[in-house]
Amino acid sequence: MERLVSNWYNHRPLPESYICPPETRPGKLSIPSGDTIPVVSLGEALINRSNTILNVLRASQEFGFFQVVNHGVSEKVLNDTMNVVEEFFKMPMEEKASLYSEDPNKVCRLYTSNINYGTEKYHFWRDILKHHCHPLDDCIKLWPQKPTRYRDVIRTFSVEGKKLGLTILELLTEGLGLESGYFKKDLSEAMLLVANHYPPCPDPSLTLGLPKHCDPNLITILLQGHTFGLQVFKDGQWIGVQPLPNALVVNIGHQLRIVSNNKLKSAEHRAVTNSKVARTTAGLFISSSEDSIIEPAKSLTNAAQPPLYRAFRYKEFLSYYFSMMGDTELALQPFKLPFNQSVIS
Ligand code: OGA
Ligand code: NI
């Protein structure tokens, strides 16, 4: 519990154990202006569906990241969610102590930094609340009881966010030419909520809130609030994801990259800190259940485009992913198939 950044950060210089090696430091944090990720208005799908499909598909192929507006999740739900998550992190430590755990298998837990505080070489400027959202009626009983509105608000956010995730997946299904409903059942059955809290940091140039990573799951829907911090790695540089009112950030995870046989991109991203204000985000991580088999969709592969990955259980991938501490290409390595030149000649 004492390890939580929000417990001790006030008025202290950055501890040495939070300083990243020079090559991963964000440095002076200049984000090239004009360069940002695509913004897609989903309301437009009602008028011109094929155009919306094209926009979502292009963004997923080129960036692996986009923001959605007019997405159908109400402003009230977004505001309630951000407020209740911020309130959670603002509560006195005694109120949160029972949720703190260093056991990654706990269904609902509060922890800090990244995958394993005890073994990581240096730490990250972040506290995390993470819990399952499926099956909702079972796991909701384990969610925080305070703030008192937490369960109600996050239940609504998770149901609406899941619906939005499925809408976007269906647009991608059509765009890729997969059979309708391809992602609707097993592949998107499970969901996690991850709320990240990055307190103001005494030296944002030396540390990170969250290291460079790709998400392991199918697709992620993130409510990022009003503060800059999320960056996407594109064409050799970091670009900032501009906070937009009532927008949600969407990114493709490894699972979707694999199922699409690399037609969609799982983009690397990270979170930087700032010295002025705390930043809080709430992400919904949609994935298959851990026992599901993941493999490139059969209809996307043929002799000219052989499958680039073998079939595996999602839990096998997850345990390898976490052992690689999120390192993107290394995490995929044991699941890749050798590209057989003879097939295409
Ligand atoms: C994540 C993530 C970004 C953010 O939780 O995987 O990428 O801005 N979060 O909090
Ligand atoms: Ni992420």
Side-chain angles (χ1 to χ4, degrees):
M1 188 73 184
E2 297 70 38
R3 289 175 166 176
L4 291 176
V5 183
S6 43
N7 199 27
W8 55 259
Y9 77 95
N10 237 343
H11 313 300
R12 275 182 54 179
L14 185 72
E16 208 166 311
S17 59
Y18 282 77
I19 300 178
C20 308
E23 63 280 11
T24 58
R25 283 179 205 164
K28 59 180 172 43
L29 295 180
S30 71
I31 296 168
S33 57
D35 245 341
T36 190
I37 61 167
V39 180
V40 181
S41 171
L42 290 184
E44 209 192 299
L46 298 170
I47 308 155
N48 189 343
R49 191 169 172 86
S50 54
N51 195 45
T52 310
I53 290 173
L54 203 63
N55 288 338
V56 169
L57 188 66
R58 272 208 202 122
S60 306
Q61 288 167 331
E62 284 174 33
F63 290 79
F65 250 96
F66 51 99
Q67 304 206 56
V68 287
V69 292
N70 299 321
H71 43 59
V73 183
S74 72
E75 183 170 353
K76 178 173 178 355
V77 171
L78 299 183
N79 288 342
D80 284 354
T81 301
M82 186 49 77
N83 290 339
V84 88
V85 171
E86 283 178 353
E87 277 167 40
F88 172 84
F89 284 107
K90 272 189 201 140
M91 288 191 312
M93 285 299 152
E94 314 82 79
E95 304 273 21
K96 297 177 282 196
S98 63
L99 291 170
Y100 184 82
S101 170
E102 297 192 4
D103 173 5
N105 297 316
K106 242 188 122 198
V107 170
C108 177
R109 71 173 179 129
L110 174 65
Y111 61 109
T112 191
S113 191
N114 199 21
I115 292 162
N116 191 334
Y117 188 97
T119 59
E120 64 198 8
K121 292 199 188 84
Y122 49 95
H123 306 309
F124 299 93
W125 196 262
R126 168 178 80 141
D127 294 335
I128 311 118
L129 171 67
K130 183 180 202 167
H131 59 66
H132 289 242
C133 301
H134 176 87
L136 188 55
D137 290 337
D138 293 339
C139 54
I140 199 168
K141 298 176 196 135
L142 302 168
W143 293 2
Q145 281 176 292
K146 286 186 182 168
T148 45
R149 293 185 314 139
Y150 184 92
R151 291 183 181 179
D152 265 355
V153 168
I154 299 301
R155 178 212 293 266
T156 307
F157 179 59
S158 68
V159 170
E160 304 244 324
K162 175 81 183 268
K163 215 162 81 186
L164 170 62
L166 289 176
T167 301
I168 295 167
L169 286 167
E170 191 58 23
L171 294 171
L172 287 170
T173 302
E174 281 184 56
L176 289 168
L178 289 165
E179 74 207 59
S180 172
Y182 192 86
F183 293 106
K184 266 219 166 98
K185 292 210 177 99
D186 296 358
L187 287 172
S188 61
E189 192 187 2
M191 192 164 75
L192 286 175
L193 177 120
V194 178
N196 298 296
H197 181 69
Y198 311 93
C201 173
D203 194 342
S205 71
L206 295 180
T207 190
L208 285 166
L210 185 55
K212 177 170 95 170
H213 69 285
C214 285
D215 295 348
N217 52 301
L218 196 63
I219 196 165
T220 305
I221 312 272
L222 182 86
L223 176 63
Q224 77 150 341
H226 313 293
T227 311
F228 259 113
L230 177 59
Q231 298 180 333
V232 179
F233 198 59
K234 169 96 168 54
D235 300 331
Q237 63 173 346
W238 289 102
I239 55 179
V241 179
Q242 192 182 7
L244 296 176
N246 299 322
L248 287 160
V249 181
V250 180
N251 66 283
I252 307 300
H254 276 332
Q255 240 191 324
L256 190 45
R257 165 175 166 172
I258 292 167
V259 174
S260 75
N261 207 33
N262 277 6
K263 289 195 165 48
L264 305 183
K265 181 172 170 181
S266 51
E268 290 178 311
H269 54 287
R270 69 179 186 184
V272 297
T273 63
N274 77 82
S275 57
K276 305 241 159 32
V277 287
R279 176 170 180 265
T280 303
T281 66
L284 294 170
F285 290 68
I286 299 173
S287 74
S288 71
S289 71
E290 298 202 349
D291 282 319
S292 290
I293 303 281
I294 310 301
E295 62 185 330
K298 296 266 188 314
S299 61
L300 297 182
T301 63
N302 53 41
Q305 298 181 75
L308 300 171
Y309 303 91
R310 65 177 174 84
F312 55 86
R313 279 190 204 281
Y314 185 49
K315 67 177 166 203
E316 185 195 346
F317 175 72
L318 272 188
S319 76
Y320 192 74
Y321 172 91
F322 287 120
S323 75
M324 288 293 116
M325 307 293 265
D327 187 308
T328 315
E329 289 306 316
L330 275 182
L332 290 169
Q333 209 56 42
F335 306 93
K336 285 184 179 167
L337 287 173
F339 192 70
N340 186 349
Q341 291 296 331
S342 65
V343 179
I344 45 173
S345 57

